[in-house]
Amino acid sequence: MQKFMIVGGNRLKGIIRTSGSKNATLPLLAACILNAGKSVIHEAPRLKDVAVMQDLLMYLGAKVNCDRNTIEVDTSSIQSVEISEDLMRRMRASNLVLGALLGRFGRVRTSYPGGCQIGSRPMNLHLKGLKELGAKIQEKFGYITAEAERLRGADIHLDLPSVGATENILMAAVLAEGVTTIRNAAKEPEIVDLQNFLNKMGARIVGAGTDTIKIEGVTQGDLKPAVHTVIPDRIEAGTHLVAAAITEGDVTVTNVIPEHLEPLLAKLREANVSFTVGEDQIKVQGNGKIKAVDIKTMSYPGFPTDMQPQMMALLSLADGTSIITETIFENRFKHVGEMRRMGADIKVEGQSAIVKGVEKLSGAYIEASDLRAGAALVLAALAAEDGTVIENVAHIDRGYERLELKYNALGARIIRVHN
Ligand code: EPU
């Protein structure tokens, strides 16, 4: 277990570059299965979750080559269509290979991903969609088996706009016979990136980014190698913007698509954070006069659940009381207890956290329970008066490429301690 020791109170200053998006890269890697050939992905972030997805592809029999931020995947040699329990346990997003394996091989078997720290996260919508495409699904002894000689296009209406279910069904439908329509689809930018990659490969998809996606099925012979550059990580960029605001810093975050950050920027504006938006960069000049704002997490283009903990860290120092309501995951307030140890005044009532701004936070011995909770604790520690120790930073490494190096280059003082 590694930990961060953070000396707070330093204003961050300088330029920080955002890496490629984790949540776009994971489905892109899964999509490589479909073309039974070579694909190249540039700007892939060097993260633990991305490494697990590469391991998973190699476990299935693919050849994977990684050179800095470029990953080459050759899936022509895939032999297996079974995902082990171990890989499923290491990363929930392993379930993203289901649709592509089923589409290409007509069969997939995987262990059921259990609940995780942030919620129960069932798979019912993924499976319902695959069933509507004609797959026979069996759920036995904690394993799911899906089979279909060839999937058939269908009209699928999702009960809620699940990101993972939209991606899995989209990938499965690429090689289905006929047209598939996904209604009430998730609209996240990562889904648009997946559509763009698959279309480069020869798929025929329109509508990603809206709530209706249409996929005209093609055959394996229509698919060809594709080269793609991943979009910037909007959640990483958002975390940096809040880091600048919470330390009253002067930071330019580069490699961003400002439109993807608009749900966060709207709230930062309301909270009185000063920033200027360029074509592919955003400069924050923290003025220390944060105003309380209410936030409700929603699917894109609503406020992202993946930015809720970081925003809570900022609002814990605001002037006034903010109400933060989490509607996506049922267990995403685990950072609250840790922030309270740092002097924050936060009370949880059901789905909402009532955050009364305090004058200052102080250092404490705390623990990261999950990725975004961990990021939020780093931000709180950067603003705290004295030293903080954060245990279990492995969670943070799942989604941020050496966060301590990036922030130290801006003047933070973070030491990674190997136990
Ligand atoms: N849901 C169902 N049934 C399903 C699928 C989802 O009820 O079959 C529910 C979930 O339990 C949850 C809601 O739908 O309450 C939304 O879940 P969604 O499927 O959209 O989430 P996901 O695909 O599992 C992705 C990101 C998460 C991010 C969410 C929401 C990836 C790899 N993960 O998860 O990212 O929080 O969308 O935006 O893309 C993170 O990066 O820290 C992270 C957790």
Side-chain angles (χ1 to χ4, degrees):
M1 280 228 298
Q2 300 185 3
K3 50 188 163 204
F4 280 160
M5 290 171 68
I6 303 180
V7 180
N10 295 299
R11 298 179 63 190
L12 300 192
K13 278 188 196 152
I15 298 175
I16 184 166
R17 186 177 190 275
T18 312
S19 303
S21 160
K22 164 179 86 78
N23 289 347
T25 303
L26 295 173
L28 292 182
L29 285 170
C32 292
I33 292 172
L34 286 168
N35 71 356
K38 206 181 211 178
S39 309
V40 181
I41 297 172
H42 294 300
E43 288 282 357
R46 288 153 64 112
L47 297 172
K48 229 159 94 185
D49 277 11
V50 172
V52 174
M53 189 56 101
Q54 288 173 238
D55 285 351
L56 168 50
L57 291 172
M58 288 191 279
Y59 170 89
L60 296 174
K63 294 193 188 85
V64 180
N65 223 320
C66 183
D67 181 15
R68 299 172 74 87
N69 294 97
T70 295
I71 307 178
E72 276 181 16
V73 185
D74 183 349
T75 60
S76 55
S77 50
I78 286 188
Q79 305 282 340
S80 168
V81 291
E82 304 212 352
I83 309 154
S84 74
E85 199 169 338
D86 167 54
L87 283 162
M88 214 54 170
R89 281 229 173 104
R90 280 169 69 194
M91 184 181 65
R92 232 198 107 76
S94 299
N95 67 12
L96 287 173
V97 299
L98 240 76
L101 283 176
L102 180 64
R104 176 169 156 201
F105 295 100
R107 184 170 191 275
V108 57
R109 184 166 185 269
T110 167
S111 86
Y112 205 92
C116 77
Q117 293 291 341
I118 59 175
S120 61
R121 305 179 80 181
M123 287 277 293
N124 57 322
L125 301 175
H126 301 237
L127 300 182
K128 189 170 156 237
L130 298 179
K131 216 182 255 174
E132 287 177 31
L133 290 174
K136 221 175 98 204
I137 311 266
Q138 270 201 338
E139 292 177 79
K140 258 193 196 161
F141 313 120
Y143 273 80
I144 302 165
T145 310
E147 285 173 304
E149 223 160 85
R150 185 167 181 207
L151 297 169
R152 293 183 313 272
D155 206 317
I156 298 167
H157 191 111
L158 293 178
D159 294 348
L160 55 90
S162 153
V163 174
T166 302
E167 291 167 343
N168 245 331
I169 297 166
L170 180 58
M171 287 188 260
V174 166
L175 291 174
E177 193 179 346
V179 176
T180 298
T181 307
I182 309 174
R183 299 183 199 279
N184 198 22
K187 301 193 280 273
E188 270 68 2
E190 293 75 23
I191 295 179
V192 179
D193 209 33
L194 177 61
Q195 166 180 287
N196 292 342
F197 179 57
L198 287 168
N199 283 347
K200 279 182 192 168
M201 216 184 248
R204 295 204 194 115
I205 309 168
V206 291
T210 76
D211 58 13
T212 305
I213 304 178
K214 269 198 183 348
I215 307 111
E216 197 184 316
V218 295
T219 61
Q220 186 85 70
D222 296 320
L223 298 182
K224 54 183 188 296
V227 179
H228 188 73
T229 301
V230 183
I231 54 170
D233 195 310
R234 65 194 164 98
I235 304 301
E236 187 203 331
T239 304
H240 302 332
L241 297 179
V242 177
I246 205 170
T247 61
E248 297 174 38
D250 186 342
V251 174
T252 303
V253 184
T254 63
N255 193 33
V256 300
I257 299 177
E259 191 193 339
H260 295 173
L261 282 149
E262 197 42 57
L264 170 67
L265 296 180
K267 284 295 162 185
L268 290 178
R269 227 174 261 129
E270 212 182 312
N272 202 32
V273 174
S274 311
F275 58 86
T276 46
V277 179
E279 201 179 311
D280 60 358
Q281 62 180 43
I282 301 172
K283 181 180 170 74
V284 175
Q285 281 166 305
N287 53 19
K289 295 186 198 112
I290 307 299
K291 277 197 335 214
V293 294
D294 292 343
I295 288 175
K296 194 176 196 173
T297 62
M298 308 276 266
S299 306
Y300 190 86
F303 188 89
T305 172
D306 291 344
M307 278 304 300
Q308 175 263 107
Q310 301 90 313
M311 202 61 186
M312 191 183 294
L314 180 68
L315 294 175
S316 73
L317 288 165
D319 185 13
T321 300
S322 309
I323 298 181
I324 301 182
T325 305
E326 172 59 56
T327 72
I328 308 293
F329 292 113
E330 62 272 29
N331 210 0
R332 217 169 194 185
F333 281 143
K334 290 207 162 166
H335 44 287
V336 169
E338 306 302 286
M339 284 184 192
R340 269 205 216 122
R341 294 162 77 110
M342 301 181 75
D345 183 350
I346 308 171
K347 204 165 70 187
V348 174
E349 281 184 11
Q351 280 185 294
S352 296
I354 298 149
V355 185
K356 268 194 203 161
V358 293
E359 282 286 312
K360 59 180 172 53
L361 295 174
S362 42
Y365 204 101
I366 49 179
E367 185 172 350
S369 55
D370 61 78
L371 166 56
R372 308 303 172 186
L377 296 181
V378 170
L379 302 184
L382 289 175
E385 279 205 318
D386 33 32
T388 296
V389 176
I390 305 178
E391 288 275 11
N392 225 347
V393 299
H395 284 302
I396 301 170
D397 294 335
R398 292 183 48 202
Y400 298 88
E401 223 178 307
R402 296 306 298 265
L403 193 59
E404 77 277 22
L405 298 186
K406 285 192 174 183
Y407 285 170
N408 286 346
L410 298 177
R413 286 173 65 196
I414 308 178
I415 302 169
R416 181 183 288 262
V417 181
H418 302 257
N419 283 4

